[in-house]
């Protein structure tokens, strides 16, 4: 086979494998668990907007939301992994300003033990310590305007407006249809304004940890609402800074590499299939690896176009919005 044929085949595989394991979840056969923070009724905005995560098949360790931990291996080497029996949601707040106004991002991050390897079909994102990041963008009046979500590698980006956002801020090619994200269908508009006591719920696909659904449900304190009827595991909201100081014996270590060519990447998050199939044409040997949000030396890019890494950097939110066509 000629070189051009090999390149074409590799590109086709890389583009198709990312959604190759998308299947319908039979909720009658898959037990589910709901993760939420009881702090969400505290009155603090970052607590109030904290999303709820619905996971399927939680009897499998890799489907449960966990806590990053550091342990010492038999040879004394540092091992970073996820404790699936101790869930946590990591949070931070950032503000930004555009020509139209000033906004606040409430940022929520969760991690899983692994995305398991499957071979028929291949799961291209298989590997350890994967995560999800969810950002709720709020205006100066405290109204949520946008919900952005991605894997913590910057992959599978989706930006959904709420019914508080003026349609003039939508991208020019917005067609009002549900958003297709590599095999998953989301949106198109999240109904915060028309939902009493709104709470964002994200449904997570087992195995791949893709967001397979987003909706706003009623979560009325002290009364039976849509979320209260689900029941939930109480998950603490933890300052994101704690990921930089994981306990390890009599010292601490970071969830991320803090120097060298791997700076900003999650330790232990190599994605072998993405390395083999995508790195050479994406011009990034670390493509698919999970990373810190906001490391200036390692942009949290959300486009595989190598020339758009800075423009699509989710941590530079004004540029990120402009790149994807949103007009806040």
């Amino acid at each position: 086979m000629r070189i051009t044929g090999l390149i074409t085949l590799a590109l086709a595989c890389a583009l198709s494998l990312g959604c190759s394991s998308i299947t319908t979840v039979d909720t009658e056969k898959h037990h589910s668990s709901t993760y939420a923070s009881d702090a969400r009724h505290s009155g603090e905005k970052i607590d109030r907007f904290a999303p709820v995560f619905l996971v399927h098949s939680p009897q499998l360790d890799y489907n449960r939301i966990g806590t990053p931990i550091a342990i010492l291996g038999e040879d004394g080497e540092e091992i970073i992994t996820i404790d699936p029996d101790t869930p946590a949601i990591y949070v931070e707040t950032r503000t930004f300003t555009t020509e139209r106004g000033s906004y606040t991002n409430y940022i929520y991050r969760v991690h899983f033990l692994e995305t398991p390897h499957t071979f028929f079909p291949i799961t291209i994102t298989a590997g350890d310590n994967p995560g999800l990041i969810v950002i709720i963008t709020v205006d100066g009046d405290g109204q949520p305007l946008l919900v952005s979500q991605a894997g913590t590698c910057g992959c599978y980006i989706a930006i959904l407006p709420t019914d508080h956002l003026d349609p003039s801020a939508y991208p020019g090619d917005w067609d009002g249809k549900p958003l297709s994200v590599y095999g998953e269908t989301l949106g198109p508009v999240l109904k915060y304004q028309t939902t009493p006591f709104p709470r964002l719920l994200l449904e997570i696909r087992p195995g791949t940890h893709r967001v397979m659904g987003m909706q706003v449900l009623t979560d009325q304190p002290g009364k039976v609402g849509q979320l209260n009827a689900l029941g939930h595991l109480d998950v603490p909201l933890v300052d994101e800074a704690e990921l930089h100081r994981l306990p390890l014996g009599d010292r601490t270590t970071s969830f991320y590499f803090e120097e060298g060519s791997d700076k900003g990447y999650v330790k232990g998050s190599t994605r072998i299939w993405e390395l083999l199939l995508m790195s050479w044409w994406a011009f990034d040997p670390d493509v698919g690896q999970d990373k810190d949000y906001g490391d200036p030396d390692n942009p949290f890019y959300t486009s595989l176009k190598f020339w758009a890494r800075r423009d699509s950097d989710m941590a530079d939110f004004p540029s990120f919005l402009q790149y994807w066509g949103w007009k806040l």
Side-chain angles (χ1 to χ4, degrees), residues 53-210:
F53 298 89
L54 176 64
V55 304
H56 298 292
S57 297
Q59 73 276 11
L60 300 173
D61 287 352
Y62 56 74
N63 284 329
R64 299 198 296 273
I65 292 172
T67 294
I69 59 172
I71 58 177
L72 291 175
E74 292 181 359
D75 298 329
E77 78 277 17
E78 176 187 294
I79 298 173
I80 301 297
T81 186
I82 308 297
D83 176 5
D85 296 322
T86 309
I89 300 172
Y90 291 86
V91 299
E92 62 175 309
T93 301
R94 295 185 176 215
T95 59
F96 68 97
T97 301
T98 70
E99 292 181 356
R100 293 194 175 196
S102 296
Y103 307 91
T104 299
N105 276 346
Y106 298 115
I107 304 164
Y108 307 89
R109 180 176 185 136
V110 296
H111 276 272
F112 303 87
L113 179 63
E114 66 171 330
T115 297
H117 287 270
T118 60
F119 297 98
F120 299 102
I122 291 173
T123 301
I124 196 173
T125 56
D128 295 337
N129 304 338
L132 290 171
I133 191 166
V134 183
I135 300 177
I136 299 180
T137 302
V138 177
D139 66 14
D141 294 325
Q143 302 297 340
L145 303 180
L146 288 175
V147 174
S148 309
Q149 69 85 28
T152 49
C153 56
C155 52
Y156 302 123
I157 180 69
I159 307 169
L160 272 66
T162 78
D163 52 1
H164 285 290
L165 183 65
D166 191 311
S168 66
Y170 290 11
D173 60 355
W174 182 264
D175 59 10
K177 297 179 180 178
L179 185 65
S180 178
V181 186
Y182 292 95
E184 302 291 3
T185 302
L186 304 173
V189 178
L190 295 168
K191 304 294 187 179
Y192 273 86
Q193 185 169 309
T194 56
T195 304
F197 301 95
R199 179 69 46 194
L200 177 67
L201 181 136
L202 295 95
E203 184 179 9
I204 310 303
R205 187 172 294 281
T208 62
H209 313 304
R210 297 281 308 281

Side-chain angles (χ1 to χ4, degrees), residues 203-250:
E203 184 179 9
I204 310 303
R205 187 172 294 281
T208 62
H209 313 304
R210 297 281 308 281
V211 174
M212 59 182 289
M214 278 199 279
Q215 58 183 306
V216 180
L217 301 180
T218 298
D219 182 26
Q220 187 169 359
K223 295 189 177 182
V224 176
Q226 290 171 293
L227 286 182
N228 290 335
L230 288 175
H232 67 273
L233 299 172
D234 183 21
V235 182
L237 300 179
V238 181
D239 191 326
E240 187 276 338
E242 294 302 313
L243 290 172
H244 295 268
R245 45 177 181 257
L246 304 180
L248 180 63
D250 58 358

